[in-house]
């Protein structure tokens, strides 16, 4: 029996109306099951083997005639495919609207920048008392400045705070960054006092990231007295691991001073530690089971640190490293996720997970939240966001030591969007970060199955003066692999221990 004309006609119409099959759905498999992620609705459906093979061939060959020519199918296969069509019609699958433009209003962007700024990050100093091997300001990282000696003046700091208070809503976050911000502790205190005095009508919060080595009991006590002052503390694990790459400029390890600084902070904050203190670490490579267990045991041994304190885990991948992995001829970035794999294995095989939560659980939650909190609708959602980009210059603004405005502290060399003296340059904001990004990305994004899950943002896509589509392509390849891995991992947990995903319902990512 030759494939029924109903099947042929259905998939011809799908392609004619909505474009190539590769942009309409994503197929993935766990060890036990096969699934389809539908781009239009966000639904994930389980597939039979016949459905999976058929849909996979449809994407590979791109044409229904090529898939079935001159194949004959038996009655059982035909029945499965007819049922697939009925399910697709009932669930509104394979109907993701074509991407013609991104849903980001220029007027809304400007309005947000003028009156809804949420956070200012002040680069108090370019200087650091350490020389960590993986620091983004290392001379080998071409996308960021090198270690510097400049410091922010009090005038620049005050103007930056003035701008933020004037252009923000009710809630304002003031964040201190470096270098090591505590090198400029007097300036930090001045900024806090200045913001509290001039922003009395605002709900102010403060935060900073520190390497801990300059924390004294007095500094910790001061920070704890400021309402809502959060501290992100950098520590990589036990001494033998921490001291491998987190070193002073003379090469000496920093663990002893860092751990003492952490004790000062925890002691000063007391019961507030759990909500206002978080740990930040870069996992070593290779992140094998032996190393990960050493770090796990280290945190389990810190009885004075709240057990459920937030732990932010990351890798640092410099552009030069990525370029060595991806060549023009390669079509896929090999996603390296030993931390996630180790965590998932522990979650699936540890029967007492609630008593021994992996220290890496927050790392996994961030990846799973992309899947868990995805747009999910009964019928296809009509709009497409500008990838993972925020509304520029409204969620946050980063102020360099000399007063230049950039979109955030994570972005390296990129077009400045203004300064503390003249405010936001709205023409650059729109031309570079809305028009250029949108126009250059449209062709690539319009063909991509991950467009509704994408977390690629401005951070990875710019040179000093312009948008760089090649940089974005590299980021996209890495993101696609990460998202496929997240889909597989999330649904593996869902199959075996779905209760472990319930915590995602109560997590808000910042």
């Amino acid at each position: 029996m030759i494939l029924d004309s109903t099947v042929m006609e259905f998939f011809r119409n799908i392609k004619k109306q909505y474009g190539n099959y590769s942009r309409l759905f994503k197929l993935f498999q766990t060890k036990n099951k096969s699934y389809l992620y539908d781009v239009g609705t966000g639904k994930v459906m389980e597939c039979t083997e016949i459905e999976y093979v058929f849909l996979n061939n449809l994407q590979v060959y791109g044409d229904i005639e090529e898939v079935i020519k001159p194949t004959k199918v038996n009655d059982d296969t035909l029945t499965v495919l007819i049922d697939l069509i009925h399910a697709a019609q009932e669930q509104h699958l394979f109907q993701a609207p074509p991407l013609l433009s991104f849903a980001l209003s220029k007027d809304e962007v400007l309005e947000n920048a003028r009156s809804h700024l949420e956070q200012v990050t002040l680069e108090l100093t370019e200087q650091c008392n350490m020389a960590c091997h993986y620091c983004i300001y290392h001379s080998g990282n071409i996308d960021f400045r090198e270690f510097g000696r400049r410091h922010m003046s009090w005038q620049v700091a005050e103007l930056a705070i003035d701008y933020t208070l004037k252009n923000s809503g009710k809630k304002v976050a003031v964040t201190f960054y470096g270098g090591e911000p505590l090198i400029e502790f007097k300036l930090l205190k001045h900024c806090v006092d200045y913001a509290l005095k001039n922003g009395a009508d605002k709900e102010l919060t403060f935060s900073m990231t520190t390497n801990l080595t300059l924390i004294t009991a007095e500094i910790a006590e001061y920070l704890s007295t400021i309402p809502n002052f959060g501290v992100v503390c950098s520590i990589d694990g036990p001494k033998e691991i921490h001291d491998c790459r987190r070193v002073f400029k003379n090469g000496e390890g920093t663990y002893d001073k860092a751990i003492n600084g952490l004790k000062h902070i925890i002691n000063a904050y007391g019961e507030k530690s759990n909500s206002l203190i978080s740990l930040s670490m870069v996992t070593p490579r290779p992140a094998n089971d032996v190393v990960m267990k050493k770090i796990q045991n280290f945190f389990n041994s810190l009885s004075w640190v709240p057990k459920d304190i937030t732990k932010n885990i990351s890798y640092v991948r410099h552009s030069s490293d990525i370029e060595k992995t991806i060549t023009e001829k390669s079509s896929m970035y090999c996603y390296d996720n030993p931390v996630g794999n180790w965590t998932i294995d522990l979650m699936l095989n540890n029967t007492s997970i609630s008593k021994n939560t992996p220290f890496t659980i927050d790392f996994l939650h961030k990846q799973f939240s992309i899947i868990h909190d995805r747009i999910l609708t009964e019928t296809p959602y009509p709009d497409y966001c500008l990838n993972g980009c925020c509304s520029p210059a409204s969620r946050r603004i980063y102020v360099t030591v000399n007063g230049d405005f950039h979109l955030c502290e994570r972005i390296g060399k990129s077009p400045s969007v203004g300064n503390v003296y003249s405010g936001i340059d709205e023409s650059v904001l729109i031309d570079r970060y809305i028009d250029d990004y949108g126009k250059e990305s449209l062709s690539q994004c319009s063909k991509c199955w991950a467009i509704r899950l994408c977390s690629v943002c401005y951070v990875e896509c710019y040179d000093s003066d312009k948008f760089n589509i090649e940089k974005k392509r590299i980021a996209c390849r890495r993101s696609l692999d990460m998202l496929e891995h997240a889909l597989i991992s999330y649904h593996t947990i869902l199959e075996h221990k779905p209760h472990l995903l319930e915590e995602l319902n109560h997590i808000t990512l910042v």
Side-chain angles (χ1 to χ4, degrees), residues 22 391 502:
S22 59
S391 182
E502 293 176 2

Side-chain angles (χ1 to χ4, degrees), residues 143-242:
D143 290 328
F144 287 82
R145 64 165 173 80
E146 295 184 31
F147 294 113
R149 295 183 175 275
R150 296 185 300 173
H151 304 282
M152 181 176 285
S153 70
W154 287 30
Q155 179 193 30
V156 166
E158 290 176 0
L159 288 172
I161 293 170
D162 289 341
Y163 174 85
T164 304
L165 295 175
K166 178 182 178 182
N167 294 278
S168 60
K170 184 66 175 176
K171 297 182 179 180
V172 179
V174 180
T175 299
F176 303 108
Y177 197 73
E180 168 53 49
L182 288 179
I183 288 176
E184 287 292 312
F185 181 55
K186 289 183 179 179
L187 175 58
L188 183 151
K189 291 178 66 176
H190 177 75
C191 290
V192 170
D193 293 341
Y194 189 85
L196 290 173
K197 177 181 177 181
N198 293 279
D201 59 333
K202 306 278 188 177
E203 295 180 19
L204 293 172
T205 58
F206 301 91
S207 64
M208 73 168 179
T209 299
T210 175
N211 62 37
L212 293 168
T213 62
L214 298 180
I215 295 284
T216 63
E218 293 73 24
I219 289 176
E221 182 62 27
Y222 165 78
L223 297 173
S224 71
T225 63
I226 305 302
N228 300 311
F229 197 118
V231 183
V232 180
C233 304
S234 297
I235 190 149
D236 283 356
K239 183 178 178 66
E240 64 182 284
I241 291 175
H242 180 97

Side-chain angles (χ1 to χ4, degrees), residues 246-258:
R246 296 193 61 79
V247 298
F248 289 116
K249 292 182 178 180
N250 62 5
E252 292 181 2
T254 62
Y255 174 84
D256 292 337
K257 289 193 174 182

Side-chain angles (χ1 to χ4, degrees), residues 18-80:
Y18 300 107
N20 291 335
Y21 305 115
S22 59
R23 65 165 295 270
L24 300 179
F25 58 91
K26 172 65 179 175
L27 298 171
F28 64 96
Q29 294 177 302
T30 64
K31 289 183 179 180
N32 299 318
K33 295 183 179 182
S34 301
Y35 295 93
L36 174 151
Y37 160 72
D38 180 66
V39 176
T41 63
K43 297 173 184 176
V44 173
M45 315 288 286
E46 189 175 340
C47 296
T48 66
E49 182 180 355
I50 292 174
E51 289 170 334
Y52 188 91
V53 171
F54 171 77
L55 292 172
N56 183 65
N57 287 337
L58 200 62
Q59 290 189 328
V60 170
Y61 295 106
D63 195 314
I64 184 65
E65 279 79 6
E66 292 296 322
V67 172
I68 60 111
K69 186 178 108 175
T71 304
K72 294 183 179 181
V73 297
N74 57 36
D75 290 344
D76 291 340
T77 300
L78 179 57
T79 299
V80 169

Side-chain angles (χ1 to χ4, degrees), residues 40 97 99 101-104 375 380-385 451-452:
L99 170 63
S101 63
F102 291 102
L104 190 61
I375 294 175
Y381 191 71
D383 297 327
Y384 295 95
C385 297
I451 186 169
R452 296 208 192 279

